[in-house]
């Protein structure tokens, strides 16, 4: 089978695939039936010593094998055909015109009917050559009725029952009338039974009742199963539709998010310039370069200046996020020595720590491999973590910054003996604008927008690393505080290419 054909097999509708599978089952079962006829004939003549000519039975078994070979090829040719799902336009047409069947389904059903018809004739002939109405194997017609009701349309099952009774009645009638010879099963059946009307009628009546009862029961059961199957298929189809809808909603959300980011970037840019101008005028006034100012005016201007600074920091955070999301980090990547970055970040926060009497201990290995990174961004990560540690640690507390050289990555830990993070806040602490529930809201020093950690996460992930927090953490000497850890991949080539 060519690649294209096997692809087509996969792309059939479930009903097409099921019908083709059923034809295959018919063919396989018929091989067993051929062997069964041969063995039963042999056992009857040789084993039980029933005297009749076995030759016609072997010939019929041979004919069944022959037509089964042809049916096998027919089923195979159907298998090789391209399913409807390869052609969505055909499917749409079929759906629009409410055509439930596809050409393959129509053909598979026709083939199935041919299979059953041939089998009924073959069984009738087998019976005729092995005792006719006297042969107890005549109840094998039940099997055909069951197969038709399971695999084909339910009307076919009743049709099979009717045709089977008619065929047997025909054989029995012709033998009774002496139009065709009767094969006597010597040593098994009472001679002349085929001439007794009551016997013939009672056999035909019991066969009819069994076949119709079988047709009724098996079509009811298989109808129920088909109904369930259809429900499952409908459900699957609805699920697919829902998935498609969600995909579209997701696409729209991504578009809206991009739109929002663009708006935030533009708005932040436009706000930054006038705010920076206000800040510089405030600096000029506070520096006394625009003339003397009264003490009360100074205090007011200082408060204005602080608020403007906070606003400028917030805007710069927003702009950072937008830049990181647009992949600007990859342009800043270069071979970097982490120890230098850490040292510079430390220098920037030293004054802030000294103000609160906080001691910062640093532990960095003497030799560290160079990594591919964006130094200003890494510094931003260290700075955010260190300044948070200082902010959320009471006076006279302690902070540790530790760098470890791992197999695949470098690990940086920032630990403090501060207020820690409540367990319920931990899962959301790296989200945009999220602030811990234990942060004192009134205190000026802790005024923040909740963007610092989300920036840290974005930067670390853009470097192929991970960041997480433990609070409290096991090594803490006070049993409280937070420990932030981030990793940096030692081999960033893959990430580089992706971002570019
Ligand atoms: P901000 O500090 O501006 O609020 P961040 O994103 O930097 O925003 O931090 C988010 C929250 O995480 C903070 O509001 C605080 O609740 C918590 N947090 C961060 N670092 C620490 C720390 N070292 N100790 C205790 N809480 C912290």
């Amino acid at each position: 089978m060519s690649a294209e054909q096997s692809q087509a097999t996969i792309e059939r509708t479930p009903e097409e695939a099921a019908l083709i599978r059923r034809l295959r089952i018919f063919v396989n079962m018929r091989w067993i039936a051929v062997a069964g006829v041969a063995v039963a004939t042999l056992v009857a003549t040789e084993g039980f010593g029933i005297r009749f000519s076995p030759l016609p039975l072997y010939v019929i078994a041979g004919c069944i094998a022959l037509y089964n070979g042809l049916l096998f090829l027919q089923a195979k040719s159907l298998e090789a055909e391209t399913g409807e799902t390869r052609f969505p336009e055909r499917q749409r047409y079929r759906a629009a015109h409410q055509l439930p069947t596809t050409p393959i389904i129509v053909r598979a059903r026709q083939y199935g009917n041919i299979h059953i018809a041939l089998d009924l004739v073959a069984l009738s002939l087998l019976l005729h050559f092995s005792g006719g109405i006297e042969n107890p194997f005549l109840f094998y017609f039940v099997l055909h009725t069951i197969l038709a009701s399971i695999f084909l349309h339910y009307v076919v099952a009743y049709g099979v029952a009717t045709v089977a009774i008619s065929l047997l009645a025909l054989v029995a009638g012709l033998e009774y009338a002496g139009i065709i010879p009767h094969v006597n099963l010597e040593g098994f059946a009472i001679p002349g039974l085929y001439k007794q009307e009551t016997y013939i009628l009672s056999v035909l009546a019991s066969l009819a009742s069994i076949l119709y009862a079988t047709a009724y029961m098996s079509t009811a059961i298989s109808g129920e199963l088909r109904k369930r199957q259809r429900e499952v298929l409908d459900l699957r189809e609805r699920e697919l539709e829902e998935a498609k809808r969600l995909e579209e909603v997701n696409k729209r959300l991504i578009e809206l998010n991009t739109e929002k980011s663009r708006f935030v970037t533009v708005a932040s840019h436009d706000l930054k310039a006038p705010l920076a101008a206000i800040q510089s005028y405030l600096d000029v006034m506070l520096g006394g370069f625009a003339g003397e100012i009264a003490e009360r005016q100074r205090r007011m201007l200082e408060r204005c200046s602080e608020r403007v600074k906070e606003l400028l920091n917030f805007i710069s955070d927003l702009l950072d996020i937008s830049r990181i999301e647009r992949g600007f980090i990859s342009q800043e990547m270069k071979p970097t020595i982490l120890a230098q970055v850490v040292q510079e970040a430390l220098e920037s926060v030293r004054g802030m720590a000294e103000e609160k009497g906080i001691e910062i201990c640093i532990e960095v290995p003497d030799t560290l491999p160079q990594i591919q990174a964006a130094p200003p961004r890494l510094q931003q990560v260290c700075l955010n973590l260190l300044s948070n540690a200082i902010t959320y640690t009471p006076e006279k507390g302690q902070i540790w910054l530790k760098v470890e050289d791992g197999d695949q990555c470098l690990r940086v830990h920032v630990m403090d003996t501060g207020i820690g993070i409540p367990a319920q806040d931990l899962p959301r602490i790296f989200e945009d604008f999220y602030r811990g529930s234990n942060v004192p809201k009134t205190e000026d020093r802790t005024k923040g927008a909740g963007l610092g950690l989300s920036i840290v996460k974005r930067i670390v992930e853009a470097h192929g690393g991970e960041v997480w927090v433990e609070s409290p953490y096991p090594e803490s000497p006070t049993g409280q505080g937070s420990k932030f850890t981030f990793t940096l991949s030692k081999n960033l080539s893959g990430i580089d290419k992706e971002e570019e």
Side-chain angles (χ1 to χ4, degrees), residues 388-389 392 416 419-421 429 434-436 439 448-453 482 484:
N388 271 352
Y392 299 110
D416 61 53
I419 59 170
I421 301 169
I429 212 72
Y434 194 84
R435 307 200 70 210
V439 170
L451 284 176
L453 288 183
S482 321
F484 283 85

Side-chain angles (χ1 to χ4, degrees), residues 147-400:
L147 286 178
S149 55
I150 294 176
F151 293 141
L152 301 172
H153 199 266
Y154 76 97
V155 179
V156 179
Y158 287 101
V160 166
T162 310
V163 172
I165 296 158
S166 311
L167 281 172
L168 189 71
L170 187 70
V171 169
L174 290 176
E175 286 182 14
Y176 174 81
I179 299 171
I180 54 171
H182 170 71
V183 176
N184 192 26
L185 298 178
E186 267 183 66
F188 178 73
I190 302 163
L193 215 53
Y194 74 101
K195 283 276 187 194
Q196 290 179 19
E197 293 88 355
T198 44
Y199 174 76
I200 296 173
L201 286 178
S202 63
V203 169
L204 286 177
S206 61
L207 181 70
S209 62
I210 276 209
L211 290 189
Y212 286 122
T214 306
Y216 175 75
M217 277 192 316
S218 47
T219 50
I221 294 169
S222 64
E224 192 60 30
L225 288 177
R226 274 190 207 144
K227 208 170 115 198
R228 295 272 168 277
Q229 195 182 12
R230 227 168 290 133
E231 278 170 10
V232 169
L233 286 176
D234 282 352
L235 210 66
R236 209 188 303 160
E237 208 143 283
R238 255 181 278 143
E239 260 176 27
L240 284 176
E241 266 168 30
E242 184 66 6
K244 218 158 145 197
R245 198 184 63 79
L246 284 178
E247 208 175 289
E248 261 157 36
V249 170
N250 196 31
K251 218 163 97 190
R252 181 78 193 116
L253 280 178
I254 292 171
E255 277 168 15
L256 284 174
N257 196 36
T258 318
E259 198 73 11
K260 180 211 77 185
S261 300
R262 202 171 306 136
F263 170 76
V264 169
T265 312
V266 172
S268 309
H269 251 292
D270 289 355
L271 280 173
K272 198 175 176 183
L275 277 174
I278 293 170
Q279 179 66 44
S280 60
Y281 278 122
L282 287 172
D283 287 344
V284 169
M285 282 194 265
L286 284 167
F289 303 111
E292 280 296 307
I293 46 171
E295 194 45 41
R296 208 160 151 240
Q297 287 168 324
R298 169 176 295 281
R299 278 204 303 278
M300 284 177 164
L301 286 176
E302 274 171 354
R303 231 175 287 154
C304 284
S305 172
E306 251 172 56
R307 294 285 176 270
V308 173
K309 257 186 221 152
E310 274 168 20
L311 216 51
L312 277 169
N313 283 340
F314 177 62
I315 287 174
S316 123
D317 281 350
L318 287 179
L319 285 171
D320 278 344
I321 289 177
S322 148
R323 267 187 227 116
I324 297 165
E325 280 182 348
R326 280 185 287 157
F328 278 16
I329 285 192
S330 60
Q331 292 165 14
E332 298 172 2
M333 294 276 189
K334 59 179 187 186
T336 306
I337 299 166
L338 183 63
Q340 270 175 15
V341 174
V342 166
Q343 201 57 46
E344 277 167 35
L346 211 63
E347 291 314 318
S348 312
V349 296
R350 206 174 281 286
M352 195 179 157
E354 274 166 11
E355 244 180 64
K356 286 178 81 176
I358 292 174
E359 185 192 355
I360 304 183
C361 305
I362 172 162
E363 204 181 301
V364 182
D366 291 337
T367 51
L368 275 179
Q370 272 200 345
I371 53 164
Q372 187 71 5
R377 297 295 160 192
L378 275 195
Q379 205 171 326
Q380 201 174 352
V381 169
C382 297
L383 218 93
N384 275 354
L385 293 180
L386 283 169
S387 59
N388 271 352
I390 298 168
T391 305
Y392 299 110
T393 298
E395 292 188 356
K396 309 268 182 273
Q398 261 188 313
I399 293 173
W400 294 267

